[in-house]
Amino acid sequence: MTKSNGEDPRSGNRMERFQQGVRKRTLLAKKKVQSITKDDVKSYLARNAFVLFTVMAVIVGIILGFCLRPYKMNYREVKYFSFPGELLMRMLQMLVLPLIVSSLVTGTAALDSKASGKMGMRAIVYYMSTTIIAVIIGIIIVVIIHPGKGTKENMHREGKIMQVTAADAFLDLIRNMFPPNLVEACFKQFKTNYDKRIFRVAIPPNETSVVASIINNVSEAMETLTRMKEEVIPVPGSVNGVNALGLVVFSISFGLVIGNMKEQGQPLRHFFDSLNEAIMRLVALIMWYAPLGIMFLIAGKIVEMEDMGVIGGQLAMYTITVIIGLLIHAIIVLPLLYFLVVRKNPWVFIGGLLQALITALGTSSSSATLPITFKCLEENNGVDKRITRFVLPVGATINMDGTALYEALAAIFIAQVNNFDLNFGQIITISITATAASIGAAGIPQAGLVTMVIVLTSVGLPTEDITLIIAVDWFLDRLRTTTNVLGDSIGAGIVEHLSRNELKNRDAEMGNSVIEENEMKKPYQLISQENESVKPLDSETKM
């Protein structure tokens, strides 16, 4: 290229450099492929055995489920068939409670209050940002596609919806943050119930009318003086399930106190550290059973599924709209955020999470997936344990990107099928309540349907219309749970990158603290990391 042709020589140089780079990479890739041996293949299969088994389990489960559908199994037979999957859910849920408490206590005890505060703020900012982005994506997608076009008269309804007021739901959320009984918080959550009370309202007497009525009829006079009134009043109640929010608040506070107690808190720190280590070793055992359990969970759900004929045009369009929204958030937004902040390939990071994501797809519970998520982040992606122990339990409790997107989208879909035109103010109300309600959605299957009532009530939409979308919720619940787990995991990677200076400073302080305390003959140390070159004898055991 020359200047006489009117072309910039720099653009030619750039193109040549690009072509050289492509050729160089191609040659390197070719050499790498040619140098692969049988031992390399065997080692790759050994390293990724869990992931490969889990992927195969999902595929076999789907095929098995559809093959068994023609046999029309009754409810009892389906339950028997799904029993191996139920066992997996029970095993994972068994570990959630001790894992949340031990990981949060050890994670916060390993950091001073200043570092914990900064890390907590970063995590909260990330959670709020991704949740708001998810809600905006949901609203834009449902407005563009408009899946609710038409009438709801021919749509299939399923199930019943319990009524709840938005004020009581948010008050319950705050009440659950401070459980009065920690033992009860392990298996119960506070929930406001409603009762009817009948009372009499006195009417100001009118002397003339009263005297006249007494003369005419004594019973008429009594009815005039009093009137019966019925009122629905909130009463304290509870529902079964771990109060994860209350345990998270307590564990963070308790861990910070232990961290500030120095050598006095050492025995407690060692206890929770050992407990966390023991739980993670149990997780390693359960992971071998996970593929079998996931296979039967998915197959059982497909066998149990209602007739596909109930999914009409509007419901099918609604399902496609939710899937598109979740895919945009999970495949574009979250990886892009990770790349912009960390400046590393997000797909390598997500590849390390594959088993956790498939487990979330199979169990449809972010809390039940928590043990597997810990294992994937710490072992596959090498995320600092102090980060995972602090960020993941909090994220599994309050960070629900997929749920927020789904609730905003479903609320506008219900407005569309009712031919209810939402103004800008009502859309903003939906986005705010969907964000807030997703925080209160417990990490259990189909919890989003309960908080959905709050979103619909906020703009005066009929809550009974939630029954229109229950038919496909079992499937969409699995997809949004997978999105939730991905959001929590990417959050851990981003928070670790942003907190790297605090972690290095804390490691240096820890080294000085150990030397000083050894001189005083008071052994003291914080959680050691596996990547430290020198480890004291009594440090955390390798997993």
Coordinates of all heavy atoms in Angstrom, one line a residue, residues 334-398:
L334 N -23.7 -10.9 32.6 CA -22.8 -11.3 33.7 C -21.3 -11.6 33.2 O -20.4 -11.1 33.8 CB -23.3 -12.6 34.4 CG -24.7 -12.4 35.2 CD1 -25.2 -13.7 35.7 CD2 -24.4 -11.4 36.3
P335 N -21.1 -12.3 32.1 CA -19.7 -12.5 31.6 C -19.1 -11.1 31.2 O -17.9 -10.9 31.5 CB -19.9 -13.3 30.4 CG -21.2 -14.1 30.6 CD -22.1 -13.1 31.3
L336 N -19.9 -10.2 30.7 CA -19.4 -8.9 30.3 C -18.9 -8.1 31.5 O -17.8 -7.5 31.5 CB -20.4 -8.1 29.5 CG -20.0 -6.8 28.9 CD1 -18.9 -7.0 27.9 CD2 -21.1 -6.0 28.3
L337 N -19.7 -8.2 32.6 CA -19.4 -7.5 33.9 C -18.0 -8.1 34.4 O -17.2 -7.3 34.8 CB -20.5 -7.7 34.9 CG -21.5 -6.7 35.0 CD1 -22.6 -7.1 36.0 CD2 -21.0 -5.3 35.5
Y338 N -17.9 -9.4 34.4 CA -16.7 -10.1 34.9 C -15.5 -9.6 34.1 O -14.4 -9.3 34.6 CB -16.9 -11.6 34.8 CG -15.7 -12.4 35.3 CD1 -15.5 -12.6 36.7 CD2 -14.7 -12.8 34.5 CE1 -14.5 -13.3 37.2 CE2 -13.6 -13.5 34.9 CZ -13.5 -13.8 36.3 OH -12.4 -14.5 36.7
F339 N -15.6 -9.6 32.7 CA -14.5 -9.2 31.9 C -14.1 -7.7 32.1 O -12.9 -7.4 32.2 CB -14.9 -9.4 30.4 CG -13.9 -8.9 29.4 CD1 -12.7 -9.6 29.2 CD2 -14.0 -7.7 28.7 CE1 -11.7 -9.2 28.4 CE2 -13.1 -7.3 27.8 CZ -11.9 -8.0 27.7
L340 N -15.1 -6.8 32.2 CA -14.8 -5.4 32.4 C -14.1 -5.1 33.7 O -13.3 -4.3 33.8 CB -16.1 -4.6 32.3 CG -16.8 -4.5 31.0 CD1 -18.2 -3.8 31.1 CD2 -15.9 -3.8 29.9
V341 N -14.5 -5.9 34.8 CA -13.9 -5.6 36.1 C -12.5 -6.4 36.2 O -11.5 -5.8 36.6 CB -14.8 -6.0 37.2 CG1 -14.2 -5.9 38.6 CG2 -16.1 -5.2 37.1
V342 N -12.6 -7.7 35.9 CA -11.4 -8.6 36.2 C -10.4 -8.6 35.1 O -9.2 -8.9 35.3 CB -11.9 -10.0 36.6 CG1 -10.8 -10.9 36.9 CG2 -12.9 -10.0 37.7
R343 N -10.8 -8.3 33.8 CA -10.0 -8.3 32.6 C -9.5 -9.8 32.4 O -8.3 -9.9 32.0 CB -8.8 -7.3 32.8 CG -9.3 -5.9 32.8 CD -9.8 -5.4 31.5 NE -10.3 -4.1 31.6 CZ -10.9 -3.4 30.5 NH1 -11.0 -4.1 29.4 NH2 -11.3 -2.2 30.6
K344 N -10.3 -10.8 32.6 CA -9.9 -12.1 32.3 C -11.1 -12.8 31.5 O -12.2 -12.3 31.5 CB -9.7 -12.9 33.6 CG -8.4 -12.6 34.3 CD -8.2 -13.4 35.5 CE -6.9 -13.1 36.3 NZ -6.8 -13.8 37.5
N345 N -10.8 -13.9 30.9 CA -11.8 -14.6 30.1 C -12.9 -15.2 31.0 O -12.6 -16.1 31.8 CB -11.1 -15.7 29.3 CG -12.1 -16.4 28.3 OD1 -13.3 -16.2 28.4 ND2 -11.5 -17.2 27.5
P346 N -14.1 -14.7 30.9 CA -15.2 -15.1 31.8 C -15.6 -16.6 31.5 O -16.1 -17.3 32.4 CB -16.3 -14.2 31.5 CG -16.1 -13.6 30.1 CD -14.6 -13.6 29.9
W347 N -15.4 -17.1 30.3 CA -15.8 -18.4 29.9 C -15.0 -19.5 30.6 O -15.4 -20.6 30.9 CB -15.9 -18.6 28.4 CG -16.8 -17.6 27.8 CD1 -16.6 -16.5 27.1 CD2 -18.3 -17.6 28.0 NE1 -17.7 -15.8 26.8 CE2 -18.8 -16.5 27.3 CE3 -19.2 -18.5 28.6 CZ2 -20.1 -16.2 27.2 CZ3 -20.5 -18.2 28.6 CH2 -21.0 -17.1 27.9
V348 N -13.7 -19.2 30.8 CA -12.8 -20.1 31.6 C -13.3 -20.2 33.0 O -13.4 -21.3 33.6 CB -11.4 -19.6 31.6 CG1 -10.5 -20.5 32.5 CG2 -10.8 -19.6 30.2
F349 N -13.7 -19.1 33.6 CA -14.3 -19.0 35.0 C -15.6 -19.8 35.0 O -15.8 -20.6 35.9 CB -14.5 -17.6 35.4 CG -14.9 -17.4 36.8 CD1 -13.9 -17.3 37.8 CD2 -16.2 -17.3 37.2 CE1 -14.2 -17.1 39.1 CE2 -16.6 -17.1 38.5 CZ -15.6 -17.0 39.5
I350 N -16.5 -19.5 34.0 CA -17.8 -20.2 34.0 C -17.6 -21.7 33.8 O -18.4 -22.5 34.3 CB -18.7 -19.6 32.9 CG1 -19.1 -18.1 33.3 CG2 -20.0 -20.4 32.7 CD1 -19.7 -17.3 32.3
G351 N -16.6 -22.1 33.0 CA -16.3 -23.5 32.8 C -16.0 -24.3 34.0 O -16.4 -25.4 34.2
G352 N -15.4 -23.6 35.0 CA -15.1 -24.2 36.3 C -16.3 -24.4 37.1 O -16.3 -25.1 38.1
L353 N -17.4 -23.7 36.8 CA -18.6 -23.7 37.6 C -19.7 -24.7 37.0 O -20.8 -24.8 37.5 CB -19.3 -22.4 37.6 CG -18.5 -21.2 38.2 CD1 -19.2 -19.9 37.9 CD2 -18.5 -21.4 39.7
L354 N -19.3 -25.4 36.0 CA -20.3 -26.2 35.2 C -21.1 -27.2 36.1 O -22.3 -27.3 35.9 CB -19.6 -27.0 34.1 CG -20.4 -27.3 32.9 CD1 -21.1 -26.1 32.3 CD2 -19.6 -28.0 31.8
Q355 N -20.4 -27.9 37.0 CA -21.1 -28.8 37.8 C -22.1 -28.2 38.7 O -23.2 -28.6 38.9 CB -20.2 -29.7 38.6 CG -20.9 -30.9 39.2 CD -20.1 -31.8 40.0 OE1 -18.9 -31.5 40.3 NE2 -20.6 -33.0 40.3
A356 N -21.7 -27.0 39.3 CA -22.7 -26.3 40.2 C -23.9 -25.8 39.4 O -25.0 -25.9 39.9 CB -21.9 -25.1 40.8
L357 N -23.7 -25.3 38.1 CA -24.8 -24.9 37.3 C -25.7 -26.0 36.9 O -27.0 -25.8 37.0 CB -24.2 -24.2 36.0 CG -23.4 -22.9 36.3 CD1 -22.8 -22.4 34.9 CD2 -24.1 -21.8 37.0
I358 N -25.2 -27.2 36.6 CA -26.0 -28.3 36.3 C -26.8 -28.8 37.5 O -27.9 -29.2 37.4 CB -25.2 -29.4 35.7 CG1 -24.6 -29.0 34.3 CG2 -26.0 -30.7 35.5 CD1 -23.6 -29.9 33.7
T359 N -26.1 -28.8 38.7 CA -26.8 -29.2 40.0 C -27.9 -28.2 40.2 O -29.0 -28.6 40.7 CB -25.8 -29.2 41.1 OG1 -24.7 -30.0 40.8 CG2 -26.4 -29.7 42.4
A360 N -27.7 -26.9 40.0 CA -28.8 -25.9 40.2 C -30.0 -26.2 39.2 O -31.1 -26.1 39.6 CB -28.3 -24.5 39.9
L361 N -29.6 -26.6 38.0 CA -30.7 -27.0 37.0 C -31.5 -28.2 37.5 O -32.7 -28.2 37.3 CB -30.0 -27.2 35.7 CG -30.9 -27.5 34.5 CD1 -31.6 -26.2 34.1 CD2 -30.1 -28.0 33.3
G362 N -30.8 -29.1 38.1 CA -31.5 -30.4 38.5 C -32.3 -30.2 39.8 O -33.4 -30.7 39.9
T363 N -31.7 -29.4 40.8 CA -32.4 -29.3 42.1 C -33.3 -28.1 42.2 O -34.2 -28.1 43.0 CB -31.3 -29.1 43.2 OG1 -30.5 -28.0 43.0 CG2 -30.4 -30.3 43.3
S364 N -33.2 -27.1 41.3 CA -33.9 -25.8 41.3 C -33.9 -25.2 42.7 O -34.9 -24.6 43.1 CB -35.4 -26.0 40.8 OG -36.2 -26.6 41.8
S365 N -32.8 -25.3 43.4 CA -32.6 -24.7 44.7 C -31.2 -24.1 44.8 O -30.2 -24.9 44.8 CB -32.9 -25.6 45.8 OG -32.5 -25.1 47.1
S366 N -31.1 -22.8 45.0 CA -29.7 -22.2 45.1 C -29.1 -22.6 46.4 O -27.9 -22.7 46.5 CB -29.8 -20.7 44.9 OG -30.8 -20.1 45.7
S367 N -29.9 -22.7 47.5 CA -29.4 -23.1 48.8 C -28.8 -24.5 48.7 O -27.8 -24.8 49.3 CB -30.4 -23.0 49.8 OG -30.8 -21.7 50.0
A368 N -29.6 -25.4 48.1 CA -29.1 -26.8 48.0 C -27.9 -27.0 47.2 O -27.1 -27.9 47.4 CB -30.2 -27.7 47.5
T369 N -27.7 -26.1 46.2 CA -26.5 -26.1 45.3 C -25.3 -25.5 46.0 O -24.2 -25.7 45.5 CB -26.8 -25.3 44.0 OG1 -28.1 -25.8 43.5 CG2 -25.8 -25.6 42.9
L370 N -25.5 -24.8 47.1 CA -24.4 -24.0 47.8 C -23.1 -24.9 48.0 O -22.0 -24.5 47.7 CB -24.9 -23.4 49.0 CG -24.0 -22.3 49.7 CD1 -23.8 -21.2 48.8 CD2 -24.7 -21.8 51.0
P371 N -23.3 -26.1 48.6 CA -22.1 -26.9 48.8 C -21.3 -27.2 47.6 O -20.0 -27.1 47.6 CB -22.6 -28.2 49.4 CG -24.0 -27.9 50.0 CD -24.5 -26.8 49.1
I372 N -22.0 -27.5 46.5 CA -21.3 -27.7 45.2 C -20.6 -26.5 44.7 O -19.5 -26.5 44.1 CB -22.2 -28.3 44.1 CG1 -23.1 -29.5 44.7 CG2 -21.5 -28.8 42.9 CD1 -22.4 -30.7 45.0
T373 N -21.3 -25.3 44.8 CA -20.7 -24.0 44.4 C -19.4 -23.7 45.1 O -18.5 -23.2 44.5 CB -21.8 -22.9 44.6 OG1 -23.1 -23.3 44.2 CG2 -21.4 -21.6 43.9
F374 N -19.4 -24.0 46.4 CA -18.2 -23.8 47.2 C -17.0 -24.6 46.6 O -15.9 -24.1 46.4 CB -18.4 -24.2 48.6 CG -18.8 -23.1 49.6 CD1 -20.1 -23.0 50.0 CD2 -17.9 -22.2 50.0 CE1 -20.5 -22.0 50.9 CE2 -18.3 -21.2 50.9 CZ -19.6 -21.1 51.3
K375 N -17.3 -25.8 46.3 CA -16.3 -26.8 45.8 C -15.8 -26.3 44.5 O -14.5 -26.3 44.3 CB -16.9 -28.2 45.7 CG -16.0 -29.3 45.8 CD -15.6 -29.7 47.2 CE -14.7 -30.9 47.2 NZ -14.0 -31.0 48.5
C376 N -16.7 -25.9 43.6 CA -16.3 -25.5 42.2 C -15.4 -24.2 42.3 O -14.4 -24.1 41.6 CB -17.5 -25.3 41.4 SG -18.3 -26.8 40.9
L377 N -15.8 -23.2 43.1 CA -15.1 -22.0 43.1 C -13.7 -22.1 43.7 O -12.8 -21.5 43.2 CB -15.9 -20.9 43.9 CG -17.0 -20.2 43.1 CD1 -17.8 -19.2 44.0 CD2 -16.4 -19.3 42.0
E378 N -13.7 -22.8 44.8 CA -12.4 -23.0 45.6 C -11.4 -23.9 44.9 O -10.2 -23.6 44.8 CB -12.7 -23.4 47.0 CG -13.4 -22.4 47.8 CD -13.7 -22.9 49.2 OE1 -13.4 -24.0 49.6 OE2 -14.4 -22.1 49.9
E379 N -11.9 -25.0 44.3 CA -11.0 -26.0 43.7 C -10.7 -25.7 42.2 O -9.6 -25.8 41.8 CB -11.5 -27.4 44.0 CG -11.5 -27.8 45.4 CD -11.8 -29.3 45.6 OE1 -12.0 -30.0 44.7 OE2 -11.8 -29.7 46.8
N380 N -11.8 -25.5 41.5 CA -11.6 -25.3 40.0 C -11.1 -23.9 39.7 O -10.3 -23.8 38.8 CB -12.9 -25.6 39.3 CG -13.4 -27.0 39.5 OD1 -12.7 -27.8 40.0 ND2 -14.6 -27.3 39.2
N381 N -11.7 -22.9 40.3 CA -11.3 -21.5 39.9 C -10.4 -20.8 40.9 O -10.0 -19.7 40.6 CB -12.6 -20.7 39.8 CG -13.5 -21.1 38.7 OD1 -13.0 -21.7 37.8 ND2 -14.8 -20.7 38.7
G382 N -10.0 -21.5 42.0 CA -9.0 -21.0 42.9 C -9.3 -19.7 43.5 O -8.5 -18.8 43.9
V383 N -10.6 -19.5 43.8 CA -11.1 -18.2 44.5 C -10.7 -18.3 46.0 O -10.9 -19.4 46.6 CB -12.6 -18.0 44.3 CG1 -13.1 -16.8 45.1 CG2 -12.9 -17.9 42.9
D384 N -10.2 -17.2 46.5 CA -9.8 -17.2 47.9 C -10.9 -17.6 48.9 O -12.0 -17.2 48.7 CB -9.4 -15.8 48.3 CG -8.6 -15.7 49.6 OD1 -9.2 -16.1 50.6 OD2 -7.4 -15.2 49.6
K385 N -10.6 -18.5 49.8 CA -11.6 -19.1 50.7 C -12.3 -18.0 51.6 O -13.4 -18.1 51.9 CB -11.0 -20.1 51.6 CG -10.7 -21.4 50.9 CD -10.2 -22.4 51.9 CE -9.9 -23.7 51.2 NZ -9.4 -24.8 52.1
R386 N -11.5 -17.0 51.9 CA -12.1 -15.9 52.7 C -13.2 -15.2 51.9 O -14.1 -14.6 52.5 CB -11.0 -14.9 53.2 CG -10.1 -15.5 54.2 CD -8.9 -14.6 54.4 NE -8.0 -14.6 53.3 CZ -6.8 -14.0 53.2 NH1 -6.4 -13.3 54.3 NH2 -6.0 -14.0 52.2
I387 N -13.1 -15.1 50.6 CA -14.1 -14.5 49.8 C -15.3 -15.4 49.6 O -16.5 -15.0 49.9 CB -13.5 -14.2 48.4 CG1 -12.4 -13.2 48.5 CG2 -14.6 -13.6 47.5 CD1 -12.7 -11.8 48.9
T388 N -15.1 -16.7 49.3 CA -16.2 -17.6 49.1 C -17.0 -17.8 50.3 O -18.2 -17.8 50.3 CB -15.7 -19.0 48.6 OG1 -14.8 -19.5 49.5 CG2 -15.1 -18.9 47.2
R389 N -16.3 -17.9 51.5 CA -17.0 -18.1 52.7 C -17.9 -16.9 53.1 O -18.9 -17.0 53.9 CB -16.0 -18.4 53.8 CG -15.4 -19.8 53.7 CD -14.3 -20.0 54.7 NE -13.7 -21.3 54.5 CZ -12.8 -21.8 55.3 NH1 -12.4 -21.1 56.3 NH2 -12.3 -23.0 55.0
F390 N -17.5 -15.7 52.7 CA -18.2 -14.5 53.0 C -19.3 -14.2 52.0 O -20.4 -13.9 52.3 CB -17.2 -13.3 53.1 CG -17.9 -12.0 53.5 CD1 -18.2 -11.8 54.9 CD2 -18.2 -11.1 52.6 CE1 -18.8 -10.6 55.2 CE2 -18.8 -9.9 53.0 CZ -19.1 -9.6 54.3
V391 N -19.0 -14.3 50.7 CA -19.8 -13.8 49.6 C -20.9 -14.9 49.3 O -22.1 -14.5 49.1 CB -19.0 -13.5 48.4 CG1 -19.9 -13.1 47.2 CG2 -18.1 -12.3 48.7
L392 N -20.6 -16.1 49.2 CA -21.5 -17.1 48.6 C -22.7 -17.3 49.5 O -23.9 -17.3 49.0 CB -20.8 -18.5 48.4 CG -20.0 -18.6 47.1 CD1 -19.4 -20.0 47.0 CD2 -20.8 -18.3 45.9
P393 N -22.6 -17.5 50.9 CA -23.8 -17.7 51.7 C -24.8 -16.5 51.6 O -26.0 -16.6 51.6 CB -23.3 -17.9 53.1 CG -21.9 -18.4 52.9 CD -21.4 -17.7 51.7
V394 N -24.2 -15.3 51.6 CA -25.0 -14.1 51.5 C -25.7 -14.0 50.2 O -26.9 -13.7 50.1 CB -24.1 -12.8 51.8 CG1 -24.9 -11.5 51.6 CG2 -23.5 -12.9 53.1
G395 N -24.9 -14.3 49.1 CA -25.5 -14.3 47.8 C -26.6 -15.3 47.6 O -27.6 -15.0 46.9
A396 N -26.4 -16.5 48.1 CA -27.5 -17.5 48.0 C -28.7 -17.1 48.7 O -29.8 -17.6 48.4 CB -27.0 -18.9 48.5
T397 N -28.6 -16.2 49.7 CA -29.8 -15.8 50.5 C -30.5 -14.6 49.9 O -31.7 -14.5 49.8 CB -29.3 -15.4 51.9 OG1 -28.6 -16.5 52.4 CG2 -30.5 -15.2 52.8
I398 N -29.7 -13.6 49.4 CA -30.3 -12.3 49.0 C -30.1 -12.0 47.5 O -30.8 -11.1 47.0 CB -29.8 -11.1 49.8 CG1 -28.3 -10.8 49.6 CG2 -30.1 -11.3 51.3 CD1 -27.9 -9.5 50.2

